[in-house]
Amino acid sequence: MSEAGKRTLSGLPFDVFDSAPVGVVATSGLDHRLIYANAAFQRIAGERVLGLPIREAFADLRQSDHFGLLDWVLETGEPVSLRELPFDFGGHRGADAEQRYSISMSKLWLGAEEAGVLLVAAKSGGRAEGGGEIDSIAEERRRFVLRYQSLMRVETQVVWVMAPLGLVAEPSPGWEQMTGQFWADYRGEGWLRAVHPDDRAGVRETWPEARRQGRWDHTFRLKLAGDGYRHVRTRAVPVIENGEVVEWVGTCADIEHEWQEAQRRKLLDQAAAATADIGGLDEVLGMLAHVIMPSVLDGIGIYLIPDFDGQPPEPLVAERFVSIVREGLGPEPQPGTVRFGSDTAFFQAVRTRRPVHRVFPPGKIPPNLAPPGADGWFRSAGANSVALVPVIVDGAVAAVLDAVVCGSREPIGPADVDLLGRMLDHAHAHLSNAMRFQRTQRVALALQNCLLPDPPDAPGMEITARYRPSATAVEIGGDWYDSFILPDGATILTIGDVGGHDLTAAVTMSQLRNMLRGLTMDRREPPGDILRRLNVATEALYGDGTATCILARLEGPENGEWRLHYSVAGHPPPLLVTYEGEGRFLEGALNPLLGYGDDQPRSSAFAMLPPRATLLFYTDGLVERPGENLDDGLQRLRRHAESLARASLDDFSDQVLARMPIARKDDIAMIAVRLPEIGRAGGDGPLSARSCRAPR
């Protein structure tokens, strides 16, 4: 009988009896149609046609009077045992007319309303008196019924028997066909050698809970014969007799396709959720990389592509801004600018707008495949496959995703490349929004650059400014700074923040800054008086508009120190840090913000600044975080600034921005002044000023 013929017509799980050393036959319905006969029974009676009533299937059996017992077993549910029964098939060569058999029959439920009969036949050991042999075959039949009834509760593909759970107790032809293992290899715990090494501990850990629950359901990777590792699902239930578990019967099914589809759906959903509320293109792509990396790859890089018309320029200059590798495979390639020639796979991916996929021996990288600066990592990590997937947003190649798998892991396959493409397509709406956001923000930032001046060349001191736009707002902001030198030689420092984050705020910011310049040049008076006049203009010209501001006049040196004359209008206080690393906020001359108080007087204050000290003005975006007290942000700024007291002014400014945990929902403006050593200003000649602008 063929392998297919061994299965039941309805696909019921009779495989559990395939390797039984005794003959097993199953029938179904009132006409007792033959639905199963195992190999042992076929050796007794020869091959039989499944689906026929048993009287037709065994029409050549001369002892046909016993068929009536099947009706009685099916009707009453009572088992029947026969001893020393000859099987005479009219000279059929597969049967021995002289051989006697012990037969046991019992009712078997095949489904909710379908019943049948299970027959177990074994050769008699002789004609001796006594019931030991018939008791043995009855016990075998009863055990088979219990096993079958347990197996009916699980799905089937490969059937196995364990006693206890974890120890394979009987041969399973299906397991041997699936894994290529022989009985000597997989008996006991030997079957675990076919389980992926990373999954074996997890398989063992599930057994105690399975014993408590009375059911085992677990998915793991199994090495199939000639097909590598695939995900399989095993399900098992206990065979219980007199309240005791005597064995476990279960199945093992290949679910690789279902598992892959489930993983794809999960990753697609994660990608969509992770990028839903992110504005910048770099942040959207970075978040996608962190979603993809743990589940699929050993390394991932993302390269931003500049805008171009028609064919990509030669060489193509891209920015590697994300580079992530699996733990133990570092160090990862560093971010930076990378150039790609027209003969590279990267250039091909951009030009054709199609993925480039390569599989190769570990560490043997084909020419022109690895991006410059990453080729060393590709070799040391033992890369075995690469996929370069262009990220196309609104018809343009915005970036390229560089995916890598290393070592002995399964190389990137076509399905993985398809998954990466589907993830990017799934996030297209977010990527498109991010692209539009980035382009609009770029225009706004260019406008802001025009509105914010370069610091002056101030004799005897260094002045540096920084501006960082909001990461989530598209339009230009209202943060500003300014510095200029008066005709009398004093240096003016000012910083402010106009309420709002739109073009109106930016225009107001520019107008207030220019008015403040004019008022300061108009007459020499305390900073508080100048801010009083600016406030009158603010209320008259801008109605409900408000702004914060600091105005300071820096003079000196006098006796080795510099004098700061300043006034604060609702703005965070200036921070003074000495060369010795002691910081304090200048908290004098606190006044209401601009837009309130009409023509009320505003106070001014003085502070003496020691040589080599650093004075920092900043806007609230540097110190404010949602849900946090402002004092916490101020003290954090003070500590970081103190630790940077002896750094160059450029490094001081850059590191303050880098170290502060910024929410990035607001603009940040900073202007910092470094005073000279004693004797290096005034009569000893001016110290050449250094002025720089923040990267835009």
Side-chain angles (χ1 to χ4, degrees):
M1 186 176 294
S2 66
E3 185 67 25
K6 292 183 182 180
R7 306 299 179 98
T8 72
L9 294 179
S10 57
L12 294 173
F14 285 105
D15 303 56
V16 69
F17 307 128
D18 283 354
S19 60
V22 294
V24 179
V25 172
T27 68
S28 173
L30 296 176
D31 58 353
H32 307 294
R33 292 183 176 273
L34 184 64
I35 61 173
Y36 177 78
N38 72 349
F41 192 87
Q42 292 173 49
R43 287 193 293 271
I44 297 173
E47 291 192 15
R48 299 289 160 167
V49 178
L50 299 182
L52 295 178
I54 197 167
R55 287 180 172 84
E56 294 182 31
F58 292 93
D60 54 344
L61 180 62
R62 293 178 176 175
Q63 291 84 5
S64 58
D65 53 325
H66 293 298
F67 286 137
L69 293 174
L70 296 172
D71 297 329
W72 192 85
V73 170
L74 190 61
E75 180 180 350
T76 66
E78 294 293 327
V80 169
S81 296
L82 303 174
R83 188 173 58 182
E84 299 294 334
L85 181 70
F87 274 178
D88 186 353
F89 292 97
H92 171 66
R93 63 180 182 178
D96 183 355
E98 298 299 323
Q99 181 64 56
R100 303 284 175 152
Y101 295 86
S102 295
I103 308 293
S104 181
M105 309 178 198
S106 58
K107 187 173 182 178
L108 185 68
W109 285 102
L110 303 172
E113 298 181 358
E114 183 183 5
V117 177
L118 183 74
L119 295 89
V120 179
K123 289 183 179 180
S124 298
R127 300 178 180 272
E129 296 293 331
E133 180 180 291
I134 195 63
D135 290 343
S136 175
I137 193 63
E139 172 66 19
E140 194 80 31
R141 180 264 309 157
R142 185 175 54 79
R143 175 66 59 82
F144 283 174
V145 172
L146 286 172
R147 182 179 294 178
Y148 179 85
Q149 290 171 342
S150 295
L151 191 58
M152 283 291 290
R153 291 149 54 193
V154 297
E155 297 175 1
T156 64
Q157 183 174 26
V158 172
V159 180
W160 47 257
V161 177
M162 292 184 178
L165 182 61
L167 300 179
V168 174
E170 294 182 8
S172 169
W175 179 271
E176 294 173 9
Q177 184 178 3
M178 174 181 273
T179 66
Q181 285 186 309
F182 296 106
W183 169 233
D185 299 325
Y186 67 87
R187 67 185 304 171
E189 287 193 348
W191 66 278
L192 285 169
R193 287 192 287 270
V195 176
H196 193 285
D198 294 344
D199 295 347
R200 288 173 192 165
V203 169
R204 292 178 183 274
E205 289 170 0
T206 62
W207 293 340
E209 182 64 22
R211 295 187 186 102
R212 288 191 292 270
Q213 296 291 333
R215 185 177 182 88
W216 188 35
D217 191 334
H218 189 57
T219 297
F220 54 88
R221 287 168 291 177
L222 188 69
K223 193 173 191 313
L224 304 191
D227 197 25
Y229 287 97
R230 293 176 67 86
H231 286 84
V232 299
R233 183 178 188 180
T234 187
R235 293 177 171 181
V237 290
V239 176
I240 299 174
E241 183 179 352
N242 297 325
E244 297 291 333
V245 175
V246 295
E247 62 188 11
W248 286 73
V249 60
T251 64
C252 186
D254 184 341
I255 61 164
E256 181 67 24
H257 178 73
E258 294 87 342
W259 187 88
Q260 292 287 357
E261 282 302 312
Q263 289 299 108
R264 289 185 177 95
R265 287 193 298 271
K266 179 180 177 181
L267 285 174
L268 291 172
D269 291 343
Q270 288 178 343
T275 58
D277 299 319
I278 300 176
L281 177 65
D282 55 348
E283 291 181 298
V284 172
L285 290 171
M287 188 61 69
L288 278 174
H290 282 86
V291 170
I292 298 169
M293 174 66 196
S295 301
V296 182
L297 306 171
D298 287 320
I300 189 170
I302 294 184
Y303 298 76
L304 290 179
I305 306 298
D307 293 336
F308 61 86
D309 295 323
Q311 293 297 310
E314 299 182 32
L316 176 62
V317 180
E319 179 192 352
R320 180 168 52 222
F321 83 98
V322 169
S323 185
I324 311 169
V325 302
R326 192 178 297 278
E327 185 177 355
L329 295 179
E332 67 274 10
Q334 293 302 303
T337 301
V338 185
R339 296 175 179 270
F340 296 93
S342 59
D343 59 344
T344 62
F346 189 98
F347 192 96
Q348 177 187 345
V350 175
R351 180 178 57 81
T352 64
R353 301 153 62 93
R354 294 179 179 276
V356 174
H357 176 214
R358 300 284 187 271
V359 178
F360 42 87
K364 307 295 185 181
I365 317 299
N368 299 321
L369 180 62
D375 46 354
W377 179 84
F378 275 50
R379 286 191 293 271
S380 64
N384 66 33
S385 53
V386 171
L388 300 169
V389 183
V391 182
I392 300 174
V393 182
D394 296 337
V397 180
V400 172
L401 185 150
D402 176 16
V404 186
V405 167
C406 302
S408 60
R409 293 189 68 201
E410 189 76 17
I412 296 172
D416 299 315
V417 177
D418 178 68
L419 172 60
L420 293 173
R422 287 171 59 186
M423 291 186 71
L424 295 173
D425 289 343
H426 206 61
H428 182 270
H430 302 307
L431 290 169
S432 179
N433 291 337
M435 283 285 288
R436 287 194 292 270
F437 175 93
Q438 181 168 287
R439 288 167 181 157
T440 305
Q441 192 180 54
R442 191 182 299 129
V443 173
L445 188 55
L447 176 60
Q448 188 108 23
N449 287 340
C450 296
L451 296 176
L452 296 176
D454 290 325
D457 292 333
M461 66 185 72
E462 296 177 78
I463 304 176
T464 285
R466 294 288 186 270
Y467 175 76
R468 176 181 288 178
S470 165
T472 57
V474 176
E475 296 181 310
I476 191 170
D479 288 27
W480 55 276
Y481 59 81
D482 198 3
S483 180
F484 52 92
I485 300 174
L486 294 175
D488 62 7
T491 299
I492 296 296
L493 301 166
T494 183
I495 196 166
D497 185 2
V498 174
H501 206 291
D502 52 24
L503 187 59
T504 300
V507 171
T508 302
M509 171 269 289
S510 178
Q511 292 173 342
L512 286 178
R513 189 201 68 190
N514 290 332
M515 277 195 292
L516 186 57
R517 276 194 166 204
L519 292 172
T520 305
M521 286 285 189
D522 175 59
R523 68 187 71 169
R524 180 169 180 174
E525 60 183 350
D529 291 352
I530 297 175
L531 289 183
R532 177 188 60 79
R533 290 197 288 150
L534 180 64
N535 184 62
V536 172
T538 300
E539 291 192 61
L541 296 174
Y542 303 111
D544 295 333
T546 61
T548 66
C549 182
I550 298 176
L551 175 63
R553 175 188 175 98
L554 186 59
E555 302 171 310
E558 294 180 4
N559 300 321
E561 291 190 315
W562 296 71
R563 185 174 67 168
L564 186 73
H565 197 187
Y566 68 98
S567 181
V568 179
H571 199 88
L575 175 61
L576 176 65
V577 181
T578 68
Y579 182 74
E580 291 73 25
E582 297 179 359
R584 66 184 178 92
F585 291 101
L586 306 182
E587 297 179 320
L590 301 181
N591 300 281
L593 50 75
L594 300 176
Y596 288 98
D598 297 323
D599 196 18
Q600 296 297 316
R602 290 178 177 256
S603 61
S604 303
F606 287 98
M608 301 307 295
L609 313 182
R612 307 175 77 179
T614 302
L615 180 65
L616 177 65
F617 292 6
Y618 52 92
T619 54
D620 55 7
L622 185 66
V623 291
E624 286 186 347
R625 296 181 68 190
E628 182 181 79
N629 190 289
L630 179 60
D631 287 340
D632 294 335
L634 291 172
Q635 294 308 313
R636 186 185 301 113
L637 172 62
R638 180 183 59 79
R639 290 192 299 270
H640 287 312
E642 288 175 340
S643 69
L644 295 165
R646 300 194 181 190
S648 70
L649 193 59
D650 282 339
D651 288 345
F652 174 93
S653 302
D654 291 338
Q655 287 299 311
V656 164
L657 277 173
R659 295 183 185 185
M660 291 294 287
I662 297 166
R664 300 199 68 183
K665 292 187 176 181
D666 196 5
D667 291 11
I668 297 173
M670 288 175 22
I671 187 165
V673 180
R674 173 70 51 81
L675 302 175
E677 301 178 45
I678 297 176
R680 294 200 63 193
D684 293 335
L687 178 67
S688 177
R690 294 174 56 201
S691 60
C692 65
R693 295 283 300 279
R696 297 291 193 256

